Amino acid sequence: MKNCTIAADGNTICYVKTGRSFFRLLCHDIFLVAITIIATCIAIAAYNYYIYYQERSKKKHGNASENEWLLESNQPQKLTDLPSKSMSIAASLAHIEGGMEASGNFLSAIFSQMWHHTNIAVSNTIKDTLAPTLKDLKVPLHFVKLDLGDVPIRTTNMLIHRVDLESSNDGANTKQTGIQIDVDVEWDGNCDIMIQATLTKSAKVIFGVKAIKLSGRMHILLSPLTTELPVISAVQYGFTNPPNIQLEFTGAVKTVTSLSFVQSALVGVIQSSLASMLVLPNRMVMPIDLGSYDYLDTYQPPVGMIRLTAVSGRGFKVAKKVRLLKDVPDVYCKISLGASKAVRPPFRTSTKKNNLTPSWRDESGDFILYDMDQKIYVEVFDEDKGPLDPDDELGEARISVRDLFRNDGICELELELEGKDKTGCYITLSAELFHLSEQLQSLSSFTYEGKNQLCGLATIIVTKAFDIPVPKVDAATFVKVVYGESSKHEKTFYTGTVMDYPGYDALNPMYDSVFHVPITAAMLQQDNEIGSLSSSSRPSISPLSSIRGMSMRMLNSGRNDNTNRNNIEFTLIDGEGANGTTGHGELGKMTVTHESLLRAYKHTMTETRLIGNGGAKLEFRVILSGMQSETEKMQLASVGSNRVDSPQDDKKSFYGGIAESNTNIRVTALRGRGFKIQKRRIGKKDDVPDVYCNIRLISQQLERPFTWKTPTIKDDTMPQWNESKEFSNINPSSDFVCVDVYEENSKGKDEWLGIAEFSLEKLLRKRLLEMELRNGSTLTKSYVTLVCIRL
């Protein structure tokens, strides 16, 4: 065997290697490779030991040293905050497990580089959003110039953590997984804004805003996560609590008396506009993957209801108003949660006259809780008499719901004046968490009839419309939703307007809007009070009362009520088009009755209904939820009560779309994942599974299920079948697909690996759906993906 090398002097040296010398060199090379591998393994082991030693050292020094090390290194570091087994459900929700902290410099750098473009885009959005409101003020305002300056937004104190949301969209409890990023947003803008105020038709003045300060904590929710690129289906973002906004004015606003109200009015307009779009419960939603995006999966339901009580106060002082006259304060509190003040007045306690240590133990206010980081605001006043003597502010305090429940749901807070000066006065605040429930005992339970108490929640989701019967260039549609029309508790909501624009389908618009209606016992009381009992003669109801009997009693009482006080009315409206064309007005109207919602499976209706006579259809979901205290929840769990208070069959479809009995579909068995390799004893080869599926279509139109078997994919834990079958005359609302997965065994009976059931209605809606296999009630961590399309 001839081999050539190049010597140091450049000459080529050729020599012949014998078989023995070649074998010797080969052994030498193998030895070097082995030494390299061993050295690499030793280095990796040493590095892992070093990391372990560092973690152990940090644990010894406690959380304080860990946080100091975190700030110094400015690198993400895993945090562990594990709840103990004895904690309540509320306390466990207050803990974040497996979060990662970061400085936020990464986002700040992105904002800095794109600020020029952001400035233009945000300026246009602010003008478009605020212009209609400013035009309707007592003194109409108009933007003359709007430039946000060259100082970009900064982000700090970032926390990244996983969120697992319970979902029952398919009739079974599943989890929607997402990633939430909580980050502090700060902006000290050197803006250049000029606003024109119209005092009279001929008198107009211009003033300016030269600086804006904004600070608040924002959350960015990446959910749901899928197993298809780009992995993230949608991004939602907004402020957890109303941000702090300060404006610095210049010009006529400081000198013209008639403009003195503008400073507070303009801040109020900005705050209310932000609250209506970007403060919980409102979020901006941006679809990332339109192929898998579904707002019903993206929507994040409330955590539950929180009941707040100002238990007591102390430290209040006697004030000297006149030389010889002392004033003992008449104390009352106002309590609000997050941006709740934007939609309803704060909860107000009674006034405790001439009292330095007031107590309100028997008074509480209920609020819908959307995030554990929402803040509770407590304002304390000294009540005075007459309009010329306004109530004196004694101080205010705030605490997040998370911090309150970390302290076992009760905490004493010191009041501050203007957020700075300590007053030496204290308020003890307590909280109780109630969970949203499919069981509706609370709607008719006398324990939820107290003043300022909630007994349920109606959730109204408007997702999209189809086949709008107007020309595309003229379409500018929105949906008006009215709860309890013509009743004392009537509430009206509007979706955003969708019009012809690149990237938007004006004839099949996506509204993606959600509205919540907190329900009180008074809203459910009948006008005729048939069969009503006085509170003294009413029997108490146990949390374990008959669910079916309670539902039927509510249904029967609903028949005696001839009013529409709890019905939900949807109106599809076409407004003025983007091209200035006159709108077509009301396109159609439909109603979801309270009685039909009580009868619905899990008291949830997800439907696509015809609306109007022009062929348009509206897709929506309405959910009626009851309330459960932690005690009630644990009592029901202890007896294994999983029944839902609905007279419907548990197998009924969760969806209630337009009946289609002649649908033609194509079902594709796409792929699987997560199948396990069976380890064999030493000397035998591990068993890599050979997987196939038996797929059954269960249909009312077929006397027996149609079954087909996919090919067997050999030696693969991630098999891809890509086999399709077509079916005709299918009813999606009642038919479903069962997938049994087997491992082929050439020497015996094939091994059954599990089963997955796919609702055809949901499969058609999703188009691509992955389901986890079950073996009885046990999840197997193996998955099968099907694709289904209409033909």
Side-chain angles (χ1 to χ4, degrees), residues 113-122:
Q113 295 301 316
M114 61 188 294
W115 182 248
H116 172 71
H117 301 276
T118 304
N119 181 1
I120 298 171
V122 173

Side-chain angles (χ1 to χ4, degrees), residues 104 106-108 110-111 153 155-156 158-163 178-185 217-223 225 232 234-240 278 280 282-286 288 298 300 371 373:
F106 172 71
L107 276 180
S108 294
I110 293 177
F111 277 120
I153 292 174
T155 57
T156 57
M158 182 183 294
L159 175 64
I160 307 165
H161 58 97
R162 177 189 177 99
V163 290
I179 302 298
Q180 182 164 319
I181 304 169
D182 299 316
V183 60
D184 288 336
V185 175
R217 190 153 183 84
M218 180 172 275
H219 60 270
I220 304 169
L221 182 60
L222 314 178
S223 175
L225 303 182
I232 300 169
V235 175
Q236 302 178 71
Y237 56 93
F239 287 97
T240 307
L278 274 177
L280 283 176
N282 301 299
R283 296 184 177 96
M284 296 293 288
V285 181
M286 183 172 61
I288 300 297
T298 304
Q300 184 175 3
D371 191 282
D373 287 319

Side-chain angles (χ1 to χ4, degrees), residues 6 65 126 211 225 323 340 342 371 386 394 406 439 478 503 560 595 606 614 648 740 751:
I6 299 177
S65 61
I126 291 174
L225 303 182
R323 240 177 231 188
S340 64
D371 191 282
L394 300 179
R406 279 176 172 168
Q439 299 163 355
F478 61 93
N560 294 327
E595 183 176 344
T606 305
Q648 301 294 326
D740 288 282
E751 180 183 355

Side-chain angles (χ1 to χ4, degrees), residues 159-178:
L159 175 64
I160 307 165
H161 58 97
R162 177 189 177 99
V163 290
D164 291 322
L165 307 176
E166 293 292 340
S167 174
S168 56
N169 289 352
D170 55 355
N173 289 330
T174 57
K175 282 191 175 182
Q176 297 287 350
T177 304

Side-chain angles (χ1 to χ4, degrees), residues 740-757:
D740 288 282
V741 182
Y742 292 86
E743 180 181 0
E744 190 174 76
N745 189 348
S746 59
K747 297 181 180 180
K749 186 178 179 180
D750 295 346
E751 180 183 355
W752 182 70
L753 300 179
I755 187 173
E757 293 187 359

